[in-house]
Amino acid sequence: MNLVASEKVKKMSASIFQEMADRKMQAMNRGMDVIDLSVGSPDLPPPAFVIETLVKYSKDPLNYGYTLKGIPEFNKAVSYFYRHRYSVELNPLKEVLQLMGSQDGLAHLATAMINPGDIVLVPDPGYPIYEASVTIAGGVIYPMPLKAENGFLPVLEEIPLDVLEKTKMMILSYPGNPVTALADKEFFKKVILFAKQHDILVVHDFAYSELIFDHHEQISFMMIPGAKEVGIEFNSLSKTFNMAGCRIGYVVGNEKALSILASLKSNIDYGVFYPIQKAAVAALTSDFSMLEEQVREYEIRRDTLITGLNKSGWSLEKSPGTMFLWVKIPPGWSSREFAFALIDEAGVAVVPGDAFGEQGEGYVRIALVQPSERLSVAANRIDEFLTKSLLKK
Ligand SMILES: Cc1ncc(COP(=O)(O)O)c(C=O)c1O
């Protein structure tokens, strides 16, 4: 049989992540001690009470059936979380939809919302599922460049009118992946006006809502008046409570958009494992003390790596959030050359910036998913690597 991938699958670019994984494996097979800062999977554990809840409900054989959709308790827990963390009121029945991780919702969103040929505005650089979701739906991407000189915010005025006429959706993420910048309320207000003017659904990915550092305000898009009229916000327990493999997330906001996505999902999946839903309820309604400790841990990791790199001639500023550093690489390298040489020669794995879009060229993404001591070692190795390569060049 001559099996060939569909045109849609051919358009998707998973290859760079696969190539990084292969290079990591090869380096380890050569006996190298690899410091893996490439994948954004938390190394920190979920809170003990979350694991205990999961274990307790997993012991009951009656809990292994299809759940079909979120239990009402979960939706109420999300409302509680949003009220306590961002002073946002959500109707648990209509303005909260459970997902098998926010990726599930992001991946299916475009199929639910757009028709082939419709345009979706996506951040460049941006988290790869945004583009993949549009590709699956047969839509057209319009990349919004996120540039350092604009605070990594898209310049809405630069989007041509003929593009806006065909635009159905705009995706934003602050703080995001790989760009860790924050947006302020003024920007979000502008986005709401813009969305109303052009009839665009705003999608805010807030997966790093609880990894915001140095007491910067945590701004949910839902805090802005009018947000629910034009937008939805994705969130997740993966990074907030370190439950990344325990797949559960949610989307909140515009009732109509959520019901459309829910109707697509009802054709696709049978719901999240009941014990995971109960564990998520426990996490979302806890006293949140672990969140502060966690922020402190990531701040220390960020500071360790930045201080280490700055000692060897970089001039990196403190990132305001997420588990990543978005780092401009020295001139003379492409992102891929740099990332490949760094893993091959120094045993430090990072992701080349162009994996996230054209504007990512010249950057690498470094994930803070190792303890500070290892990050110090990584900074030293990067320093030695650069010194050696300067000598070679
Ligand atoms: C910006 C962003 N959004 C969404 C996700 C998906 O997270 P999950 O599906 O685990 O909720 C990730 C995962 O890394 C992410 O970085």
Side-chain angles (χ1 to χ4, degrees):
M1 197 194 293
N2 183 20
L3 281 181
V4 202
S6 71
E7 292 308 315
K8 286 176 180 173
V9 168
K10 280 189 205 154
K11 266 199 206 167
M12 293 177 185
S13 51
S15 50
I16 179 63
F17 292 96
Q18 190 51 53
E19 178 145 10
M20 280 312 296
D22 292 345
R23 281 181 185 254
K24 261 187 292 185
M25 189 57 77
Q26 286 158 11
M28 286 193 284
N29 289 345
R30 290 198 303 275
M32 208 170 216
D33 164 42
V34 172
I35 304 180
D36 189 357
L37 309 179
S38 64
V39 184
S41 186
D43 61 314
L44 297 168
F49 66 85
V50 167
I51 300 178
E52 279 154 23
T53 309
L54 189 61
V55 169
K56 177 175 152 198
Y57 287 96
S58 301
K59 283 188 175 157
D60 185 345
L62 294 178
N63 289 338
Y64 284 77
Y66 295 129
T67 53
L68 301 179
K69 58 182 190 163
I71 53 174
E73 224 184 310
F74 175 85
N75 291 37
K76 285 189 196 144
V78 171
S79 295
Y80 176 93
F81 188 77
Y82 261 66
R83 183 177 312 124
H84 285 83
R85 301 301 293 176
Y86 323 118
S87 306
V88 167
E89 289 301 323
L90 295 170
N91 177 331
L93 288 177
K94 298 177 176 168
E95 294 175 341
V96 178
L97 174 67
Q98 187 182 90
L99 302 168
M100 301 172 114
S102 57
Q103 187 92 349
D104 159 33
L106 288 163
H108 293 121
L109 183 68
T111 302
M113 299 295 169
I114 69 164
N115 287 312
D118 288 342
I119 295 181
V120 179
L121 309 176
V122 297
D124 176 7
Y127 182 56
I129 194 64
Y130 308 151
E131 186 168 338
S133 172
V134 178
T135 303
I136 293 167
V140 178
I141 294 290
Y142 183 86
M144 300 182 290
L146 305 187
K147 296 190 175 162
E149 64 260 34
N150 301 320
F152 293 104
L153 300 175
V155 183
L156 302 178
E157 298 75 18
E158 282 179 359
I159 305 169
L161 263 182
D162 59 330
V163 168
L164 291 173
E165 276 162 14
K166 293 190 206 136
T167 298
K168 290 284 156 59
M169 221 161 63
M170 165 196 267
I171 304 180
L172 299 168
S173 182
Y174 293 98
N177 170 11
V179 169
T180 64
L182 298 175
D184 58 15
K185 287 184 177 158
E186 286 314 305
F187 172 73
F188 280 149
K189 279 184 197 160
K190 213 164 99 178
V191 166
I192 291 173
L193 275 179
F194 184 80
K196 284 185 178 169
Q197 196 182 351
H198 298 288
D199 205 19
I200 293 173
L201 175 71
V202 180
V203 178
H204 185 233
D205 181 356
F206 204 28
Y208 296 95
S209 61
E210 301 302 322
L211 294 185
I212 294 179
F213 309 141
D214 307 319
H215 304 287
H216 284 293
E217 189 182 3
Q218 294 168 267
I219 305 178
S220 156
F221 184 62
M222 291 297 132
M223 285 159 74
I224 315 299
K228 284 185 198 172
E229 287 164 48
V230 295
I232 56 177
E233 182 164 87
F234 285 86
N235 211 326
S236 165
L237 284 89
S238 296
K239 317 291 159 119
T240 298
F241 297 105
N242 302 319
M243 293 168 69
C246 215
R247 306 296 298 141
I248 190 158
Y250 55 93
V251 53
V252 302
N254 187 278
E255 187 183 327
K256 179 76 185 159
L258 263 49
S259 79
I260 296 172
L261 183 57
S263 102
L264 172 67
K265 272 179 58 65
S266 70
N267 283 277
I268 295 178
D269 67 65
Y270 285 143
V272 172
F273 185 41
Y274 183 78
I276 294 182
Q277 297 201 46
K278 293 295 277 186
V281 169
L284 291 165
T285 55
S286 63
D287 69 3
F288 309 131
S289 53
M290 63 80 66
L291 296 179
E292 270 170 46
E293 288 160 30
Q294 181 158 274
V295 160
R296 191 67 208 121
E297 171 64 22
Y298 277 110
E299 283 171 346
I300 293 170
R301 290 178 178 196
R302 172 200 63 179
D303 294 349
T304 304
L305 191 55
I306 288 184
T307 310
L309 292 174
N310 283 354
K311 264 192 217 148
S312 52
W314 300 56
S315 45
L316 304 177
E317 286 176 18
K318 287 191 175 187
S319 48
T322 81
M323 60 204 308
F324 305 109
L325 298 187
W326 182 236
V327 173
K328 206 166 178 40
I329 55 175
W333 296 89
S334 76
S335 294
R336 282 181 196 222
E337 278 168 0
F338 186 85
F340 292 165
L342 192 63
I343 174 99
D344 292 347
E345 294 170 31
V348 179
V350 300
V351 179
D354 63 314
F356 303 96
E358 233 177 90
Q359 299 292 330
E361 183 49 59
Y363 287 83
V364 289
R365 190 197 73 179
I366 309 182
L368 303 168
V369 290
Q370 300 274 343
S372 283
E373 303 74 52
R374 287 290 275 172
L375 294 173
S376 266
V377 177
N380 289 340
R381 286 197 200 170
I382 295 172
D383 183 30
E384 278 167 28
F385 160 77
L386 281 174
T387 313
K388 267 194 227 152
S389 50
L390 267 182
L391 293 177
K392 263 196 251 163
K393 279 196 171 184

